[in-house]
Amino acid sequence: MEEGAAQRTDTTAFKECLALSWKNPYVLRLAFSAGIGGLLFGYDTGVISGALLYIRDDFKDVDRNTVLQESIVSMAVTGAIIGAAIGGWLNDKFGRKSAILIADFLFFVGAVIKASAMNSALLIVGRVFVGLGVGMASMTAPLYISEASPAKIRGALVSTNGFLITGGQFLSYLINLAFTKAPGTWRWMLGVAGLPALLQFILMILLPESPRWLYRKGRQEEAKTILRKIYSAEQVEVEIQALKESVDKEIEENKVSENINLFKLCQTKTVRRGLIAGVGLQIFQQFVGINTVMYYSPTIIQLAGIASNRTALLLSLVTAGLNAFGSIVSIYFIDRTGRKKLLIISLCGVVISLGFLSAVFHGATSTSPAVSMAETSHFAANFTCPAYHDAASASSWDCTRCLKASPSCGFCASPQNKLLPGACLLSNDTIKNACHDQDSLWYTRGCPSKYGWLALLGLALYILFFSPGMGTVPWIVNSEIYPLRLRGVCGGIAATANWISNLIVAQSFLSLTHAIGTSRTFLVFGVISVVALLFVLICVPETKGLPIEEIEKILERRGLHMMFWKRRANEKNGGENDTNKEGEGDV
C-alpha cells in the first residue's frame, strides 16, 4: 500500500522516547496520566477472571449457571459498547479531557457498587457502570496521547497505553492472589479499581485539552501554547502550519461537518478506507480469542486439569506477565518495524499457538480418566451423580462425560493417582470436602490430565505473539488513521465494533466449550486468525512515522502493497511519490 512521505524511524525513535524523561517530561506526563485509563481498562477486564472463581463460591446461583457466569463477565462489555459509542460523540463535542473525566467517575461508581453487591443482579449493575467507563477510556486515552505526541515517537507513546492495559491486567492477577485468603475476597478484588480512577480524575483536572481538538474548535492560541510545550522551537511552527492546512481543508470540504452520519462517512473514499482498516482490526483483535484468555485464563487452566483455584490464579500470572512484557516489546518495535509488519508477525504466531492449544486440549480430552463404579461406591449412595447412576452405559463413562452430563456433577480423582479411574459424584461443598478427606483432588470444570503444563505453554506462546502486534497496533492505527474532524466519531465506531465483538466472544466462550469442546473452540479461533492475516495483508496501510495530517493523503492515493517486507521506493528516495508505478486500488 502507498506509504506516502514517511519520516525515517528506526531504533532512535525508542531512544528518543526514553530521552523524553529528562528532555521533555511534559509529554510523558500527558501520556502516562491519560494512560491510567488504560490501566483501569486492563484491571477491570482482567480482575473478573479470578474474582469469578470466588463469586461462584458465594453465589450458588452463579456456580450452577454458565450463562449467568458469562453475563457477569460480558455485562461490562455491554456497557463498554455503549460507552465507546457515546465516547465518540463526547470526544468531538466536549473534548478528550472531558471524556476521560466522565470515564473516571463511572469507574469509581461501578467499583463501589460491585464491592458492596449483595446478589448477582447488583454485581451485574456494577459491571455495566464499569463497562461504560472502559468503553470511553478504550478509545479516548490512545486518541488523547496520539494528538499530544510528536510524530516520530507517537507509536511508542500510544503503545504505553497498551502497556498500561496489560499492566492493569497483570496487577489484577496480583490483587486477586493477595486477597484469596482475605474476608470478602472478590469484593476487595473488584473494589480496589476505585483508587486509580480517583487518581486519574485528579491528574486530568490539572492537564490541558488535546491541542488538535482545541485548534479544530477555533481555540488556536490555547492549542499553540500546548504545542510549544510538546515540540522543539524549530518543529512547532511546521506542526502548527500543517494543522492549519488540515483544518482549513476539512472546513472547505464540509461546511456542516458536525452533521455526520454513517452513510456520509462511507461516501468519502479516505474515510471509508480508514474505517475498513480500523474497524476490521478491532473486530479481528477480539475474534482471534484474546479475551477468552484474559477473562477466562484461570478457567482455561482448570479445564486443562488444574483443580485448585489458587494454583490456577498463580499460573494465570504467567500469561498476564507475558502480556505486559509483550507490550514493552511493542513500544520498542512499533516505530522501528512498523505497524503492518508487526501485525503480520503477530498473527502468524497466533495461528501456530492456537493450533497447538487445539491439539493439547484434544489430547487431554482423549486421555480423560475413566469413571470407576468401585471408586464411586466408596462414597455414600446419595453422593453419586444421578445422571451417572441412571445411565445405561455407565461403564463407558469418563471424567469428561461426567462433568458434561450435568452442572451438578463433579469428579473425585483416585487418591493413588489422579490419572487412574475416579468417582462421578454430586457437586456440593459436603461431597467436595468428603473427596478432599480421602486426599483426592476435586474437579468440576476440567479433568485430570498429563497435558496441563502444555496448555500453559500454549497460552504463553499465544500471549507472546498476540501482545506486541494485535494487542496494541489496532488501537494505534485507529488513533492515527482518521481525518481530524471525524477522529472522535470514527474512533468511537471502531471502539464500538471492538466491544461488540468482545461481547460476542465473552458471552459465548464457556457455552461454546461446553457444546463443541475446548479443542474445537481454539481451532475455530485459529481459522479466524488466518482470515485476519489475509485482511491485514490487503486492507491495512502502514502509518509508521507519518505526521497525522499526512495519513489522509496515503489513503487517498493508496494502492495495494503486498510485499510488506520490502521498503518502498518513496522511503528510499526520501518520500518521493511513486504512485505512478502502481495501480490505484479502492476498497
Side-chain angles (χ1 to χ4, degrees), residues 3-4 39 78 109 154 240 265 278 302 333 362 375 421 450 460 474 492 499 522 534 536 538 546 568:
E3 296 180 15
L39 182 78
T78 303
V109 171
R154 186 177 62 241
I240 291 172
L265 290 178
Q302 288 186 331
F333 282 105
H362 176 73
E375 289 291 335
K450 60 185 177 182
W499 289 110
F522 281 116
L534 295 174
V536 169
I538 296 169
L546 292 173
R568 295 294 300 272

Side-chain angles (χ1 to χ4, degrees), residues 79-89 131-132 134-136 138-139 488-489 491-497 499:
I81 294 170
I82 301 169
I86 296 173
W89 173 76
L132 290 168
V134 166
M136 289 184 188
S138 67
M139 56 85 56
V489 171
I493 291 171
T496 302
W499 289 110

Side-chain angles (χ1 to χ4, degrees), residues 208-209 211 214-215 218-228:
E209 182 52 81
L214 289 172
Y215 203 99
R219 296 157 65 178
Q220 285 91 347
E221 290 307 313
E222 291 179 65
K224 290 176 183 178
T225 300
I226 299 165
L227 288 171
R228 288 188 181 103

Side-chain angles (χ1 to χ4, degrees), residues 175-218:
I175 295 293
N176 283 346
L177 273 174
F179 288 115
T180 50
K181 301 212 175 192
T185 45
W186 60 269
R187 297 184 186 278
W188 287 102
M189 296 174 182
L190 299 178
V192 164
L195 296 178
L198 188 61
L199 173 63
Q200 187 183 40
F201 189 90
I202 295 169
L203 289 174
M204 288 305 299
I205 287 176
L206 304 175
L207 290 176
E209 182 52 81
S210 158
R212 286 179 169 82
W213 183 85
L214 289 172
Y215 203 99
R216 179 72 184 89
K217 292 298 181 180

Side-chain angles (χ1 to χ4, degrees), residues 263-338:
F263 179 73
K264 286 184 179 179
L265 290 178
C266 292
Q267 282 185 317
T268 306
K269 181 165 62 174
T270 55
V271 179
R272 181 175 68 252
R273 287 172 167 177
L275 280 172
I276 288 172
V279 172
L281 279 177
Q282 295 288 31
I283 290 172
F284 281 118
Q285 184 190 61
Q286 298 304 316
F287 279 176
V288 300
I290 179 56
N291 279 319
T292 62
V293 175
M294 299 320 300
Y295 294 158
Y296 297 110
S297 183
T299 301
I300 292 170
I301 289 171
Q302 288 186 331
L303 287 171
I306 306 298
S308 164
N309 284 355
R310 186 174 177 82
T311 303
L313 281 174
L314 188 60
L315 291 175
S316 296
L317 263 178
V318 176
T319 57
L322 289 172
N323 201 20
F325 172 75
S327 298
I328 297 173
V329 172
S330 176
I331 293 172
Y332 179 80
F333 282 105
I334 191 69
D335 285 317
R336 179 189 182 193
T337 304

Side-chain angles (χ1 to χ4, degrees), residues 123-276:
L123 189 57
I124 287 173
V125 170
R127 291 284 291 167
V128 170
F129 268 88
V130 164
L132 290 168
V134 166
M136 289 184 188
S138 67
M139 56 85 56
T140 306
L143 185 59
Y144 182 91
I145 297 169
S146 175
E147 293 185 345
S149 303
K152 191 172 184 180
I153 58 171
R154 186 177 62 241
L157 285 176
V158 177
S159 288
T160 62
N161 183 65
F163 168 68
L164 288 168
I165 291 173
T166 57
Q169 290 169 335
F170 182 72
L171 178 64
S172 73
Y173 283 81
L174 287 177
I175 295 293
N176 283 346
L177 273 174
F179 288 115
T180 50
K181 301 212 175 192
T185 45
W186 60 269
R187 297 184 186 278
W188 287 102
M189 296 174 182
L190 299 178
V192 164
L195 296 178
L198 188 61
L199 173 63
Q200 187 183 40
F201 189 90
I202 295 169
L203 289 174
M204 288 305 299
I205 287 176
L206 304 175
L207 290 176
E209 182 52 81
S210 158
R212 286 179 169 82
W213 183 85
L214 289 172
Y215 203 99
R216 179 72 184 89
K217 292 298 181 180
R219 296 157 65 178
Q220 285 91 347
E221 290 307 313
E222 291 179 65
K224 290 176 183 178
T225 300
I226 299 165
L227 288 171
R228 288 188 181 103
K229 293 181 180 180
I230 295 172
Y231 290 91
S232 63
E234 61 272 14
Q235 291 177 312
V236 69
E237 293 305 323
V238 175
E239 181 67 20
I240 291 172
Q241 183 60 32
L243 186 55
K244 181 180 182 303
E245 290 174 1
S246 175
V247 171
D248 289 345
K249 180 183 176 183
E250 290 163 3
I251 293 173
E252 286 175 13
E253 288 177 350
N254 193 350
K255 298 291 184 182
V256 288
S257 60
E258 299 301 323
N259 299 322
I260 297 166
N261 59 54
L262 187 59
F263 179 73
K264 286 184 179 179
L265 290 178
C266 292
Q267 282 185 317
T268 306
K269 181 165 62 174
T270 55
V271 179
R272 181 175 68 252
R273 287 172 167 177
L275 280 172
I276 288 172

